[in-house]
Amino acid sequence: MTQPYPNQVWIPPVSTRPPLGTDFFRLARVVQGLLVATALMHVAMIIADWYYLDLAQRLIDTPRRVPFEDLQRFDTVTLWTLVVYLTLLLLTGITFICWLFQAHRSDRTDPVALQHESYWAVIGWFIPIMGLFRPYQMVDDVRRGADRFGVTPVAQPYWWAAFLLGAFMEQVSGWLWPAGDEPGLRAFGEKLQSAAWAELSSNVVNIVAAVLAILVVRDLTATLRNAPPGGRVD
């Protein structure tokens, strides 16, 4: 039986995965810049924590000698620190997720090597329990898709461990933070002291997490830059 088109040459299908352009690599630099700003913000928050600790100790030792202006300054510092930090956290989170999503669905990742669909790079952060491991799996997925024989850098697992630990310690600090209904200034100071120590510790861990995240983003972006369209499968 003869073929209907004996002279036809088979042409492999062209990948429909979006290519990585210069905008992606600019976005990677923005992510790294925001991570640097986040680390510096945590340094500023450590300075604020030392102020909280000093105020708390004075409230515990001599509550009646603490000027009312110091309590007003405490409210102002707390408010602006929270506003700036949450704004920076939101911007960093959005840009990081956009960077990860674009990397995962790009033509630099081999779809055969990927274990998850690209949408998990977005929704995986917001699903309870799954948010503890799926974002890390998506970063690992991108690395595997771009260079399936590559070795995971040392910074990557430590980054995720520091990120989770810092997030947990922030929750502890929030639980300990005085609500304003304490029976007296001394009780307020004792609660503020515990919360400030917890927050200071979380800020140190979050600085480490931000620095490690910069290394992860830089390394993975370089891997994608060097990967041919379709992912490195050889």
Side-chain angles (χ1 to χ4, degrees):
M1 181 178 179
T2 60
Q3 296 182 353
Y5 305 101
N7 297 324
Q8 185 177 20
V9 179
W10 181 79
I11 300 175
V14 178
S15 173
T16 58
R17 298 174 70 82
L20 286 185
T22 55
D23 288 343
F24 172 80
F25 297 102
R26 289 197 193 99
L27 180 62
R29 290 193 291 270
V30 171
V31 172
Q32 293 175 67
L34 286 171
L35 287 168
V36 170
T38 299
L40 293 176
M41 183 64 202
H42 284 295
V43 172
M45 292 171 70
I46 288 175
I47 296 173
D49 288 331
W50 283 115
Y51 166 70
Y52 297 151
L53 288 170
D54 175 71
L55 176 62
Q57 192 61 55
R58 288 188 289 134
L59 288 171
I60 293 171
D61 295 339
T62 56
R64 295 186 178 181
R65 295 184 181 180
V66 176
F68 182 70
E69 291 77 10
D70 285 2
L71 298 176
Q72 288 182 316
R73 189 178 300 111
F74 164 77
D75 288 338
T76 302
V77 171
T78 303
L79 175 62
W80 281 106
T81 299
L82 183 62
V83 169
V84 174
Y85 175 62
L86 291 179
T87 302
L88 188 57
L89 185 64
L90 182 63
L91 290 174
T92 306
I94 290 174
T95 53
F96 186 94
I97 290 173
C98 290
W99 168 82
L100 182 60
F101 176 73
Q102 289 185 36
H104 193 277
R105 69 192 292 262
S106 73
D107 65 343
R108 302 298 179 96
T109 56
D110 177 16
V112 176
L114 301 178
Q115 297 182 353
H116 306 283
E117 296 293 336
S118 296
Y119 59 78
W120 284 113
V122 179
I123 68 173
W125 296 83
F126 306 105
I127 299 178
I129 305 302
M130 188 174 288
L132 298 175
F133 57 87
R134 183 50 56 84
Y136 180 86
Q137 290 177 336
M138 298 306 293
V139 172
D140 221 27
D141 225 19
V142 173
R143 186 176 302 282
R144 188 185 306 108
D147 186 0
R148 66 172 65 180
F149 302 111
V151 179
T152 301
V154 176
Q156 187 171 312
Y158 286 107
W159 154 65
W160 191 245
F163 174 79
L164 293 180
L165 179 60
F168 172 75
M169 295 174 72
E170 281 186 353
Q171 290 293 325
V172 172
S173 173
W175 294 332
L176 295 175
W177 201 259
D181 55 355
E182 290 73 22
L185 290 177
R186 181 173 282 107
F188 180 89
E190 291 172 349
K191 200 165 184 179
L192 176 61
Q193 188 178 59
S194 300
W197 277 118
E199 184 175 273
L200 191 151
S201 301
S202 73
N203 284 321
V204 172
V205 174
N206 282 323
I207 290 173
V208 174
V211 172
L212 292 174
I214 293 170
L215 298 178
V216 170
V217 172
R218 181 177 300 174
D219 180 80
L220 193 52
T221 301
T223 301
L224 289 164
R225 187 189 299 273
N226 296 327
R232 179 166 296 164
V233 298
D234 54 334

